[in-house]
Amino acid sequence: MDGVPCLRVSRCQTQQFRGYLQSRGMLDQRFNLVKHPDGTVLLPILSSCLSQLDLLSLRNTLASDVCDLTWSQSPLQSKKEKKRTGGNKMERTLQDLLESLGERWMVELRRDLPRSFQRHGDLILLGDNCFTLPLWKKIGDQLWLAVAEALGAKRLAKMSRISKDGFRSPVVTMLLGDNSWVKHVDNGISYEFDVTKCMFSAGNITEKLRVAGFDCRGETVVDLYAGIGYFTLPYLVHAKASHVHSCEWNPDAVAALQKNLEVNGVSDHCTIHQGDNRQVQLCNIADRVNLGLIPSSEDGWPVACRLLKRTTGGVLHIHQNITSSLQNGAPQNVSAKNADREVWKAWADDTANRIASLLRDLTGAPWVINIQHIEHVKSYAPHVHHVVLDLDCRPF
């Protein structure tokens, strides 16, 4: 058939389906998704992956009534084209503004426009590498009104850096608008937070979807680095954990976490422990411990071992950023992708041995440690990867 193959899904499940397709390499990332007035969304699929698409299984797995294959007869807008179009619109808007103020447009100004940004509802969060030239300051508030209009936003903010306060707090300045609280919806879960005080990572959506697919009924989960509830909420809302103990030391993140638990109707199933998780007075309670801190959660490993149930054990989900150096020294018949995976496996083996040693020292008895799974979450650069190790730990 002609056109681009697409999976038609309901708008409320877009993130869930997109994460599923992306994790299996089936999403055609050259194109943008298309929203239809009837409340459905088209997700472009690679033609080479059509034979792998099992619609019936997909409907059952993701519990969806709207899930069918269609072809977009009108060409989908590519991501490059969309970015170029949006950039051109902003450039034209700012050129008109400068001309109305008697200023001249220069190539340097084009280079100083934002190349990317984060969108949270009607608020756009700009990076620190744009609008740095003195002329922009001369224009004043008219600049931000024009930028917001070009980007289809009502509020603007700019992030300059990450604070060194130990909380990884963002340093964000509101440019347009007074209210800095935003709402972000992933997989039917509402996350509300103050962009000037809390970070939000949209890049870990695939891991949040994976957690949402766990069956945690009857389980007690400890989330050692809860933040605003990135993983606490999927464990409660979708995985149906009996109770989650959420540890977080940033008071602003705790405030957002409390709000998000209430908004999503799960506050009765969560206990928040504010402060350094190494000081938390919990022991021998967890069926599962989430260690969602990067670049490394190593400081939390002894705490996680202490939390596991002594008689039955449990599962540790250990996050880590891993840098591979094998690509230069790997045999010629080993691909870069396989070389990276070999490094992940070596790290996982070493981590399993260290966890076994920690548990043996803690309990005075041997434990059986099995690597269940190594999940690739995202890449920051070639051969720099965020991975999660699922480690099954049981007393011998």
Side-chain angles (χ1 to χ4, degrees), residues 322-391:
I322 298 179
T323 301
S324 169
S325 58
L326 280 184
Q327 61 270 20
N328 295 325
Q332 292 185 355
N333 62 341
V334 177
S335 68
K337 183 176 181 180
N338 287 337
D340 284 335
R341 292 186 180 279
E342 287 298 318
V343 174
W344 306 349
K345 182 62 167 59
W347 169 78
D349 288 337
D350 179 66
T351 300
N353 289 333
R354 293 176 62 187
I355 293 295
S357 178
L358 285 170
L359 286 167
R360 184 175 59 250
D361 292 343
L362 180 69
T363 65
W367 285 58
V368 178
I369 311 297
N370 289 314
I371 295 174
Q372 282 188 338
H373 180 68
I374 303 174
E375 178 73 11
H376 177 244
V377 179
K378 58 186 173 184
S379 300
Y380 294 96
H383 311 291
V384 181
H385 306 283
H386 174 185
V387 302
V388 181
L389 169 62
D390 296 344
L391 210 56

Side-chain angles (χ1 to χ4, degrees), residues 82-313:
K82 182 176 182 180
K83 183 176 181 180
R84 186 161 54 246
T85 302
N88 288 343
K89 182 178 180 180
M90 182 187 296
E91 186 174 329
R92 289 194 302 269
T93 300
L94 295 181
Q95 282 181 0
D96 292 342
L97 174 61
L98 288 175
E99 289 176 5
S100 71
L101 297 174
E103 300 287 349
R104 186 167 58 91
W105 181 261
M106 299 177 290
V107 175
E108 289 79 3
L109 296 173
R110 178 184 295 115
R111 294 171 181 163
D112 202 32
L113 296 182
R115 294 177 177 82
S116 62
F117 50 82
Q118 297 179 32
R119 184 184 294 274
H120 300 293
D122 66 356
L123 183 145
I124 294 291
L125 182 60
L126 302 171
D128 64 349
N129 58 348
C130 61
F131 297 117
T132 60
L133 297 176
L135 179 58
W136 301 123
K137 293 182 180 180
K138 180 180 177 180
I139 297 174
D141 290 343
Q142 291 184 73
L143 169 66
W144 307 128
L145 288 168
V147 172
E149 179 185 356
L151 295 177
K154 294 181 180 179
R155 297 178 290 165
L156 286 178
K158 189 175 184 182
M159 181 165 63
S160 59
R161 62 188 183 278
I162 300 298
S163 172
K164 296 181 180 180
D165 59 3
F167 298 146
R168 287 186 57 82
S169 303
V171 178
V172 173
T173 303
M174 292 297 295
L175 304 173
L176 183 64
D178 298 323
N179 182 11
S180 54
W181 275 82
V182 298
K183 179 179 178 180
H184 195 102
V185 179
D186 273 346
N187 192 22
I189 297 175
S190 178
Y191 299 88
E192 298 184 25
F193 60 100
D194 187 335
V195 293
T196 66
K197 297 178 179 178
C198 301
M199 296 287 294
F200 184 86
S201 176
N204 60 18
I205 177 61
T206 56
E207 179 61 11
K208 286 188 285 188
L209 289 173
R210 192 174 77 96
V211 168
F214 293 163
D215 183 358
C216 297
R217 286 172 293 184
E219 290 189 0
T220 297
V221 178
V222 179
D223 188 356
L224 280 182
Y225 306 94
I228 66 171
Y230 306 109
F231 296 108
T232 288
L233 291 167
Y235 273 116
L236 289 169
V237 175
H238 294 305
K240 304 300 181 183
S242 177
H243 199 87
V244 175
H245 292 272
S246 298
C247 304
E248 175 57 44
W249 67 356
N250 182 346
D252 295 311
V254 168
L257 174 59
Q258 290 171 331
K259 183 178 181 65
N260 292 330
L261 290 167
E262 294 171 2
V263 168
N264 290 280
V266 291
S267 55
D268 290 344
H269 297 277
C270 183
T271 302
I272 298 175
H273 303 269
Q274 184 173 344
D276 190 334
N277 61 27
R278 290 169 294 187
Q279 307 301 322
V280 68
Q281 298 300 307
L282 294 176
C283 181
N284 187 28
I285 64 163
D287 299 288
R288 195 180 296 263
V289 183
N290 196 77
L291 297 100
L293 179 67
I294 53 175
S296 176
S297 62
E298 189 170 342
D299 283 349
W301 294 0
V303 183
C305 290
R306 171 164 51 84
L307 290 166
L308 286 177
K309 290 182 176 178
R310 298 289 176 84
T311 57
T312 57

